Amino acid sequence: MGLEDPNMVNAGDMNGSGNLMDFLDEPFPDVGTYEDFHTIDWLREKSRDTDRHRKITSKSKESIWEFIKSLLDAWSGWVVMLLIGLLAGTLAGVIDLAVDWMTDLKEGVCLSAFWYSHEQCCWTSNETTFDDRDKCPQWQKWSELLVNQSEGASAYILNYFLYIMWALCFAFLAVSLVRVFAPYACGSGIPEIKTILSGFIIRGYLGKWTLLIKTVTLVLVVSSGLSLGKEGPLVHVACCCGNFFSSLFSKYSKNEGKRREVLSAAAAAGVSVAFGAPIGGVLFSLEEVSYYFPLKTLWRSFFAALVAAFTLRSINPFGNSRLVLFYVEYHTPWYMAELFPFILLGVFGGLWGTLFIRCNIAWCRRRKTTRLGKYPVLEVIVITAITAIIAYPNPYTRRSTSELISELFNDCGALESSQLCDYINDPNMTRPVDDIPDRPAGPGVYTAMWQLALALVFKIVITIFTFGMKIPSGLFIPSMAVGAMAGRMVGIGVEQLAYHHHDWIIFRNWCRPGADCVTPGLYAMVGAAACLGGVTRMTVSLVVIMFELTGGLEYIVPLMAAAVTSKWVADAFGKEGIYEAHIHLNGYPFLDVKDEFTHRTLATDVMRPRRGEAPLSVLTQDSMTVEDVETLIKETDYNGFPVVVSKDSERLIGFAQRRELILAIKNARQRQDGVVSNSIVYFTEDPPELPPNSPHPLKLRRILNLSPFTVTDHTPMETVVDIFRKLGLRQCLVTRSGRLLGIITKKDVLRHMAQMANQDPESIMFN
Amino acid sequence: MGLEDPNMVNAGDMNGSGNLMDFLDEPFPDVGTYEDFHTIDWLREKSRDTDRHRKITSKSKESIWEFIKSLLDAWSGWVVMLLIGLLAGTLAGVIDLAVDWMTDLKEGVCLSAFWYSHEQCCWTSNETTFDDRDKCPQWQKWSELLVNQSEGASAYILNYFLYIMWALCFAFLAVSLVRVFAPYACGSGIPEIKTILSGFIIRGYLGKWTLLIKTVTLVLVVSSGLSLGKEGPLVHVACCCGNFFSSLFSKYSKNEGKRREVLSAAAAAGVSVAFGAPIGGVLFSLEEVSYYFPLKTLWRSFFAALVAAFTLRSINPFGNSRLVLFYVEYHTPWYMAELFPFILLGVFGGLWGTLFIRCNIAWCRRRKTTRLGKYPVLEVIVITAITAIIAYPNPYTRRSTSELISELFNDCGALESSQLCDYINDPNMTRPVDDIPDRPAGPGVYTAMWQLALALVFKIVITIFTFGMKIPSGLFIPSMAVGAMAGRMVGIGVEQLAYHHHDWIIFRNWCRPGADCVTPGLYAMVGAAACLGGVTRMTVSLVVIMFELTGGLEYIVPLMAAAVTSKWVADAFGKEGIYEAHIHLNGYPFLDVKDEFTHRTLATDVMRPRRGEAPLSVLTQDSMTVEDVETLIKETDYNGFPVVVSKDSERLIGFAQRRELILAIKNARQRQDGVVSNSIVYFTEDPPELPPNSPHPLKLRRILNLSPFTVTDHTPMETVVDIFRKLGLRQCLVTRSGRLLGIITKKDVLRHMAQMANQDPESIMFN
């Protein structure tokens, strides 16, 4: 066993129980793992990884083969990143293509090849001219195919009916798949991923089934026309990929801390393919999702994000070498006076964010607490039906939301056939196509305006009810759509105002007649950024994502102005973004790095036991029997026990994990001769000589963590919170003048924080 | 005094001595400040800021005026950022303009207005056609002006002589100004800024004089033609701006922790204007410079970086709406086969980085230890003379280095008149100007090749001796120049190979005759990135800066391939980048977040006192007289003393700072009646009743830090290092079973790390 060799003991002690397996031939297989819905201990995971690394380094000097193995181990991080990038990019491409096809399937089918989407169908058709590129003989609406009518009331009703039927069909399939195969595949996944990355275990949340079902159902729900997006779930899908590949390498699969580094990078890859923004993805992971983000992870995340982006680009789902449908290039600069409407859009975004979070959380709480939650399939069916019935008549809600955003972002060029670009042209004018001056709006624009207004109201209401149902549902796209619609309307308003009143003081300096001074598409983009910012409270990553969409430094100032205003306005009504609100709703133990704890409480106010409570359950180093320990374990449900010199002196020796105590005793009883119920348990280094007929002692120093974290009872909670956050502790012991007084767990910290913020401390449910 | 009120004591205890002033009417003015060349305590600074914040929040409810004051306080962070951005952008613009003018002054003068640079002079001249835009009558070389000759040997010699004289003149002025007014203005400043940001005090390093002198001398040394750049010093200049503006707001001036947040953002603004890359600047600050970088700082840094970039753009120093001279746009994609030369360039960059760091550090060490260091002015004069003498005859070294880089990066368009673009054109060809196929090289290209080779060797050698002299000197530009020259040569080589052998297998697929397949400018850029990466070991920020220079996702893969290769190659020869090497050379106490500590040592191996040393100097809580304490302070030079219950029990009560003990005793002796040398010092809460004729006791609980940080003696050093890093501690006490054993300071940790890495532990000089 080698445990009596003092050097070995010393090495084994160094990190509590981390490298136990090296010395005991893995006697209990579950050592070092965690139970489901429990918090991990970051320091311990880090220690274990360092041990592993040390072992490999020392072995690598022994033989060439070990050296090669150590090289492979060092490279495995990059290999995992490469694989994640490739798979995430491929999945994103496949999802894009499938959504494209299935969305069009609701309206018609391609006769030449049924697997073509509307656009692909008409590409292959050579007969089309530019003007009617959307009308090609191969593409047939359902009414044309079934009753040979393309116009008229009955054709409209048939198409309408089939549209709703397809939508219901997709949604029903999606919700059934989720319920039967992978209940964790619902929602956007970002709140749970944030919690997992902060060091929490939710088994199966990133499993293979979740990956498969989420990918398939994502296609179904997006195609069904529900008011949701694929961007958030793509992050979840990418994290599932990350989890899958990290399970292939023991470096990551056996260490919860290292695994989370991979997941952080995977989240970056997910955003990278969702928005075609690799740098934005990395910053999103850094700012919004990750908890522990060392510089090495930054670099690897960047690599994964790039690989994912390039994979997606080689799949080329949109047929234009772009990563997203709504990439734009503007040709006109913006002017100082326009900052005012931009800031107004920011205020709108902030208000929308507040409204959405409040209403959505209220509705989700209702779903959790009332009978509503018992009929998830019915709920999805009803919402889908309502969405489809209201959406079909309005051209702006009938199409897919990302196409809508794309149209709203676009500048009106000369070749644009959209209703939004129905301006009255000056027939005498001959100017290059990309420099069109401001023109008066035509009837199409006015029609578009009220259709957009209706679509806006509809989107605002329906999104509140959609997000949180038991299907994959992202929030980025609906938020952006709300902002883009509002922004485009404001933009057209400003444009027409400037056209008709170019002699007003505010326009006189920059908007002469015949100049192209207002770009309504830019307003749409600013509005989208504002609304997305209001809901998620992203800042830098939001601006960088938008910057990567436009590809110019030029428009950063409008975007920033709107994003900052939106954040400030939304923060004035409540500090929580939608993801934090959902984390809170679910009671996950998430210690946000952004929250500042500023109350004047001390560790002594938070620690257990409180005044009047039973004293702390402790183990003594050399006076308890196996039976005593077993009784203590049975009677309490604490995750671990401090070990003290004796009940009287209460001087702290170390800390023993419950799980490992149980395993060690079970193991000793099975394998070690002479260990019986009244064997004495020794946590000391050298148990004293026992009389010959006394039972064999049980030596447990090897599972004792000899460096438990302690603070004094006078430590301000502010410092304690900081320590928990930065070191990722599970628990911390409280002492006064060297005497053990109590214990503070992560749950205690979170409950105290909730209490100080006038929230219900019982809402924190897990440890 | 109110100190007897238990609630008040409790509140006062909460953060050691942080909010002491509230209760004692600021009795000793220096409390809470640090001595020069000492490490700060991040936890304490954070506590103090929270106290301040709490005070303002509670006051803000009292009156409207206080509420407005609290709003102003909350906004002051943004105001500081705005001011930093404005000043840093302005200074960068002024430096660019001044360098431009003074560099040209070495060759000639503008007759129409002497304050015009060559380019500005010829802009205003209307007579020039495109071909001879560099030749305009208003611009006269010195020989033309003085002896009326523009050609011929004597004119050349006169120009040569005056070039050297101007260079010497500028360099002498610069080194004298630095020596007389601001010795801290020398070097790039980045190593010291890294150290300061990690929590070290160097008074005056970011002062107003340093700002002024560094700005002026930077212009002088760059104009003198020395092989150095302005990018690194610009970061120092921006940080000086940050320090200046933070001294205007008490929130930042009185808190060393908050001040460092501002400095991190200022560093981002500095890089933003140096490279015209706001996002790259933020990532540089995050990756390379900063130590404590909360998300709030990320967002503010981004704001400062953007303001700085826009300020610089409105100054428009290069007359092209670009932020930097070497902004480029390429028109040709790259091909997979080209990855091989790109990776070769990465290897070159890594080797150059290693060579440079080794030689430069050896030379700097020599300068520090031998008599060489006593003649800084002479050294600068000699190096300037050598540089000027060798540089003038070669057109690629005569011009300013950033112009050289700009030319090397540029793609050869049809209108390019440079020697590097002297290709043999096919007279039959009529193609658009921006899509020129590969052509055979003309004689100009061959001349350029050997001139570039000579310039490369010269730059490599001279930069080693230049960096580290007592003048402001940045390293980015010379490194990039070395890489760009090597890259351009490789690029031309590959291009000619592809042109002459387009039937080779490696070229056959992508490089048909008449195609534009190789862009030598891209090779130059990749080479520049590789060399910069090799020297500084930047990764993400480097790629993002380069991405912002080219403005396209397209070329990220070549840049990343080169940057990664270069980092790996350089890391294989030594982990330290040039900045860490200089920090190390100067013995600053810098605990790098990137270093991983993987040794199996325990806290007990590192703590003082070691075995055999005198026992730890401690204070007891209620048995020492004022004289005892004074003697202890006099006899030791420790920064603080643990306070224990009694010498026998050694149970820890708290920690008292030396500085505050001295101030408190001095203050008590002056102001408090009855405190004499044999007064007992009490650190307890309630001193016992004393006999009536005994001397008045001195109660010092208020300066006692009741929550000192402790670890057990069995804690692995790996964890201790982590704690020091993440919590920014100054010292940590070591206990075993509640008994005080020893103390570990940051210096001990650093010395131990140096020892484990087989370096000289005595090289860490400061505490």
Side-chain angles (χ1 to χ4, degrees), chain A residues 570-619:
Chain A
D571 276 353
F573 292 101
K575 283 275 174 196
E576 280 184 333
I578 184 74
Y579 301 130
E580 287 81 36
H582 272 266
I583 286 174
H584 203 187
L585 181 72
N586 290 324
Y588 295 130
F590 179 70
L591 190 53
D592 199 343
V593 273
K594 280 176 240 175
D595 280 348
E596 281 183 35
F597 185 85
T598 53
H599 301 281
R600 293 190 152 194
T601 43
L602 298 182
T604 184
D605 304 328
V606 179
M607 70 178 191
R608 304 296 195 95
R610 301 278 162 76
R611 226 164 275 174
E613 283 183 359
L616 193 65
S617 306
V618 293
L619 299 171

Side-chain angles (χ1 to χ4, degrees), chain B residues 412-413 421 423-426 429 436-441 495-496 499:
Chain B
C412 282
C421 294
Y423 290 94
I424 297 161
N425 282 309
D426 183 353
M429 211 186 48
I436 298 171
D438 285 359
R439 297 159 292 177
E495 182 194 45
Q496 293 306 313
Y499 177 79

Side-chain angles (χ1 to χ4, degrees), chain B residues 26-164:
Chain B
E26 307 202 18
F28 9 112
D30 278 342
V31 157
T33 62
Y34 297 89
E35 279 171 75
D36 203 4
F37 288 99
H38 272 70
T39 298
I40 69 166
D41 186 335
W42 285 91
L43 271 184
R44 184 172 127 172
E45 295 301 300
K46 205 168 168 191
S47 264
R48 286 178 53 208
D49 182 60
T50 319
D51 275 350
R52 214 190 119 275
H53 189 75
R54 259 199 294 256
K55 219 167 88 187
I56 288 172
T57 317
S58 67
K59 260 195 186 170
S60 73
K61 285 162 196 153
E62 287 167 15
S63 70
I64 301 262
W65 171 233
E66 291 293 341
F67 181 70
I68 293 170
K69 260 175 45 182
S70 79
L71 277 188
L72 287 179
D73 181 76
W75 277 77
S76 61
W78 293 99
V79 174
V80 170
M81 293 303 136
L82 180 71
L83 293 171
I84 290 172
L86 289 173
L87 186 58
T90 311
L91 285 177
V94 170
I95 289 172
D96 281 338
L97 288 172
V99 164
D100 214 21
W101 174 66
M102 286 177 66
T103 303
D104 290 344
L105 194 64
K106 287 189 297 179
E107 303 204 2
V109 73
C110 188
L111 291 186
S112 54
F114 74 91
W115 59 88
Y116 276 174
S117 71
H118 191 165
E119 202 178 345
Q120 288 165 327
C121 190
C122 295
W123 268 347
T124 50
S125 147
N126 295 322
E127 302 162 42
T128 54
T129 62
F130 189 84
D131 270 340
D132 47 9
R133 56 184 167 168
D134 280 356
K135 287 166 204 146
C136 56
Q138 283 89 342
W139 179 260
Q140 295 227 310
K141 287 189 179 172
W142 290 113
S143 61
E144 290 176 86
L145 195 72
L146 299 177
V147 298
N148 222 349
Q149 274 187 310
S150 70
E151 304 285 323
S154 63
Y156 185 86
I157 289 168
L158 181 63
N159 283 329
Y160 196 171
F161 177 74
L162 283 170
Y163 179 93
I164 296 168

Side-chain angles (χ1 to χ4, degrees), chain A residues 300-553:
Chain A
R300 290 193 176 164
S301 302
F302 193 54
F303 178 69
L306 275 178
V307 173
F310 274 88
T311 310
L312 180 58
R313 213 184 59 168
S314 33
I315 293 175
N316 198 2
F318 303 110
N320 59 357
S321 295
R322 295 299 179 195
L323 296 170
V324 280
L325 200 49
F326 34 91
Y327 179 94
V328 273
E329 273 175 276
Y330 300 125
H331 303 282
T332 330
W334 59 276
Y335 301 90
M336 269 298 162
E338 288 184 288
L339 269 185
F340 180 70
F342 292 150
I343 286 172
L344 271 189
L345 284 173
V347 173
F348 171 78
L351 292 176
W352 146 255
T354 308
L355 174 84
F356 177 79
I357 293 172
R358 295 247 170 121
C359 297
N360 181 256
I361 290 296
W363 182 249
C364 287
R365 181 160 287 137
R366 196 182 186 86
R367 187 187 289 130
K368 254 179 115 87
T369 51
T370 64
R371 286 176 57 202
L372 185 70
K374 289 182 188 147
Y375 309 104
V377 179
L378 187 66
E379 187 190 2
V380 170
I381 294 291
V382 169
I383 296 287
T384 312
I386 295 174
T387 310
I389 290 167
I390 301 181
Y392 190 83
N394 189 335
Y396 292 105
T397 48
R398 190 194 303 174
R399 73 184 68 186
S400 83
T401 319
S402 35
E403 271 175 48
L404 168 65
I405 294 175
S406 169
E407 182 174 337
L408 294 170
F409 279 10
N410 259 326
D411 201 1
C412 282
L415 302 174
E416 202 62 59
S417 61
S418 142
Q419 206 183 18
L420 275 171
C421 293
D422 180 26
Y423 290 94
I424 297 161
N425 282 309
D426 183 354
N428 303 324
M429 210 187 48
T430 49
R431 287 278 283 274
V433 288
D434 61 347
D435 181 25
I436 297 171
D438 284 0
R439 296 158 294 175
V445 174
Y446 289 110
T447 318
M449 286 287 267
W450 68 257
Q451 283 175 345
L452 274 182
L454 287 178
L456 178 62
V457 172
F458 167 65
K459 276 272 171 200
I460 287 179
V461 174
I462 202 75
T463 306
I464 291 170
F465 295 98
T466 306
F467 187 72
M469 292 200 301
K470 296 282 170 218
I471 45 171
S473 56
L475 194 53
F476 284 20
I477 288 288
S479 291
M480 285 174 75
V482 165
M485 285 189 275
R488 185 82 189 203
M489 288 195 290
V490 172
I492 292 175
V494 173
E495 181 195 45
Q496 293 307 311
L497 208 65
Y499 178 80
H500 292 293
H501 304 280
H502 48 247
D503 49 346
W504 285 9
I505 298 172
I506 47 163
F507 297 121
R508 208 185 292 159
N509 291 322
W510 51 282
C511 208
R512 260 163 269 110
D516 178 14
C517 43
V518 178
T519 313
L522 176 62
Y523 285 73
M525 174 165 267
V526 169
C531 284
L532 191 49
V535 171
T536 60
R537 311 292 160 85
M538 285 154 64
T539 51
V540 182
S541 45
L542 175 66
V543 176
V544 172
I545 287 171
M546 290 291 171
F547 160 76
E548 290 188 79
L549 286 182
T550 54
L553 206 60

